[in-house]
Amino acid sequence: MPSGVVNKDLQHERSKCTFNLEEFTVWWVGGKEKLAEKRAMETFFRDQPEFHDTVPLAYASHKEKYEEIIRKATVIFTKTRKLLQEQGRYDARNYFETWDFLLGTGLIKEGNPFRLQFDMFIPALVGHANAEQQAKWLERALNWQILGTYAQTELGHGTFLRGLETRATFDERTDELVLHSPTLTAYKWWPGALGHTANYAVVMAQLYSKGKCFGVHPFMVQLRDEDSHLPLPGIDIGEIGDKIGYKGVNNGYLGFDNFRIPRTNMLMKNAQLLRDGTYVKPATSVLTYGTMVFVRVIICKGMAYELSKAATIAVRYSCVRRQSLINSNQPEVQVMDHLTQQDKLLPQVTKAIALKLAADYLWQLYQDTTSEMDSGKLDRLPELHAISCCLKAISTADAARGMEVCRLACGGHGYLSSANFMTFYSVATAASTYEGENTVMLLQTARFLVKSWNQALKGRKLPSTVSYLSDYCGKTSKRMPWSDSLPVIISAFQAVVANKLRLANEHIERRKTAGYTPEEATNMTGLELTTVAELHGRAFVLHSAYEMIEQACQTASVQLAAVLRQLCALTVYGEALQFAGDLLRFTAISESDVVKLQLKYEAILAALRPNAIGVVDAFDYPDYVLGSALGAYDGNVYERLFEEAMKSPLNQEPVNRTFELYLKPLMRSML
């Protein structure tokens, strides 16, 4: 079993590090104060026996998993809240920061059963409920007196909100709204915690009043009795069954049979329904999507952290595992010494950093925009919606791909549950479809880009994230000058976006002229539009990562600044090589330039190789957070794999009963 002695190869790797790990970690976490709080919480979590499994939950039944996860989650939150209260740091209204400690600890690998309470239910109340409604429900939610979820997706409709079938019809006689699921496909399907955990939900439904439909609106609905937890009459509710991952989230279904709620349960911060049935529309329809924008923003940062965990595991294992010969006169080398392995893993490390920096940039944009919304300024909301859509799509797709690369880079051992790649992979793959399927997300961004392009053609000022489009409006497809400096490569990505957007817009207009409707013309141009939206998002990631790294380098030590710039360069070079065809088409890059770029990319891999372990160590993930036999700090991979195998219930007895029941009769029968 693990001896506590660090593997000698990892010791050697750590001795080669050229920068101060603590300095990197302070930067990565966001400051010394945040780092101290993070480590204090992690130590607290580590030292609580009740928080940890003696037998992995992978061996439990579906029902046992749910019950144990609920037990553990309630204990975790209760003890954590008590600790923060004793330290004078607990603030119920600062729900996201408080609960975020628990979401990132790795204590509940199967998915946090209360995540929807803080990620969607409470944000929906903040974003959609008026002051009177918040006074009624928000404090109860913040203090765990009610448990909620956000019920939007239906069995037959998801991302296309206008297609939702659940109806909320106003009855003027009783001043009530009648919720009804007219078809099976109208049943709510997928909301986390809906199955057996939540007793309230913010339900998205089509509002009908005076015989007219006013579109999708949010409604506060009690689902279960607060004392008995039994479903209320008119509520059909349950769990949707087992899933690839997120075993503890208790995703559910919900149907309404003419279920009545007071009119005042329609959340009316933005739109209102008056006593006489008069509908008062919101200042802008985009306000309806506020909760989803919030979730997409935090998804982007979450994907960066999950990818960085997977990369940490794979890099550590690749420095311990020895396989194959490079020089026939020397022993087997560390797998990390193979250039092909560096090409697999180091870009995942740098991609995680770039996504995290882009998410930080997006978070600031979100806070600025919501602050402006509170004062009545709504003009930046479409921009926020558009950039959050494409970053959600890029971050989830890249994280899922990157985690699979990390798993495959660990060979057969990466397939074991004890390697823990499935935890991270299931999170990323689930996020690729929830809160908007990724292709639809890219098309929504593309719609904003086309609109922005046409505004630029008219000489109007564009929002900051698309302001570069103005530089290319009214120009022919003249090739942009090329050099391999990072700012020029980032500008080249923007030039590619602008030119491909110009062509896509021209193709839409031609199809409209040919007699197609605007919707048909847009659909026929969909492949171009999704590509443009993806490239716009990638340009944003590169631009924000470069800016924030350069800003950090102004105060960083010379050693750390050098490493940060190498990390940034690897991401930029890697993206440029991946999209070399587009660069050849729209910039002055030549074939020889592509060859030089490949050589520079390989040189950066070599330069980063000595610091590979240093960087992943500086991510500062405790072993229990990674939860991996392959990625522990001490590098005792083989001992840990054997220890995890011994936890299997099948290894608790020398002979399983199936021998006497089935195997022995089979082998002794006269077949």
Side-chain angles (χ1 to χ4, degrees), residues 7 52-53 61 75 94 174 198 201 224 334 346-348 356 435-436 439 453 508 542 568-569 599 609 643 670:
N7 176 278
H52 301 276
D53 302 320
S61 71
V75 172
N94 193 10
T174 61
R224 295 175 176 272
Q334 294 165 284
L346 294 180
Q348 309 315 321
K356 191 260 186 184
E435 298 318 307
T439 300
W453 180 260
I508 291 172
L542 297 180
C568 185
L599 293 174
R609 168 64 184 92
E643 181 182 53
M670 299 296 292

Side-chain angles (χ1 to χ4, degrees), residues 389-430:
C389 281
C390 69
L391 281 192
K392 183 267 181 187
I394 289 169
S395 65
T396 54
D398 282 7
R401 270 193 301 267
M403 291 167 191
E404 180 67 348
V405 169
C406 290
R407 182 187 73 80
L408 292 170
C410 292
H413 293 331
Y415 196 67
L416 287 166
S417 292
S418 59
N420 203 31
F421 286 116
M422 182 50 71
T423 295
F424 311 129
Y425 185 69
S426 64
V427 169
T429 50

Side-chain angles (χ1 to χ4, degrees), residues 122-136:
I122 289 174
L125 292 177
V126 172
H128 298 297
N130 61 28
E132 183 179 347
Q133 292 170 324
Q134 289 190 23
K136 182 177 181 180

Side-chain angles (χ1 to χ4, degrees), residues 559-574:
Q559 295 81 2
L560 179 59
V563 172
L564 291 179
R565 288 187 169 119
Q566 289 170 349
L567 293 166
C568 185
L570 190 68
T571 293
V572 175
Y573 293 159

Side-chain angles (χ1 to χ4, degrees), residues 381-488:
L381 204 50
E383 177 191 23
L384 175 64
H385 174 67
I387 196 64
S388 68
C389 281
C390 69
L391 281 192
K392 183 267 181 187
I394 289 169
S395 65
T396 54
D398 282 7
R401 270 193 301 267
M403 291 167 191
E404 180 67 348
V405 169
C406 290
R407 182 187 73 80
L408 292 170
C410 292
H413 293 331
Y415 196 67
L416 287 166
S417 292
S418 59
N420 203 31
F421 286 116
M422 182 50 71
T423 295
F424 311 129
Y425 185 69
S426 64
V427 169
T429 50
S432 295
T433 50
Y434 69 63
E435 298 318 307
E437 189 275 332
N438 282 354
T439 300
V440 178
M441 293 292 92
L442 293 174
L443 288 171
Q444 291 195 21
T445 299
R447 187 180 300 116
F448 174 76
L449 292 174
V450 169
K451 184 177 180 180
S452 298
W453 180 260
N454 285 303
Q455 287 177 333
L457 288 174
K458 297 174 183 176
R460 296 178 184 171
K461 185 178 179 181
L462 298 182
S464 60
T465 58
V466 290
S467 60
Y468 66 88
L469 296 177
S470 298
D471 297 334
Y472 298 91
C473 277
K475 296 181 180 180
T476 60
S477 56
K478 182 179 179 182
R479 293 176 180 271
M480 173 190 160
W482 172 263
S483 81
D484 56 16
S485 74
L486 300 193
V488 170

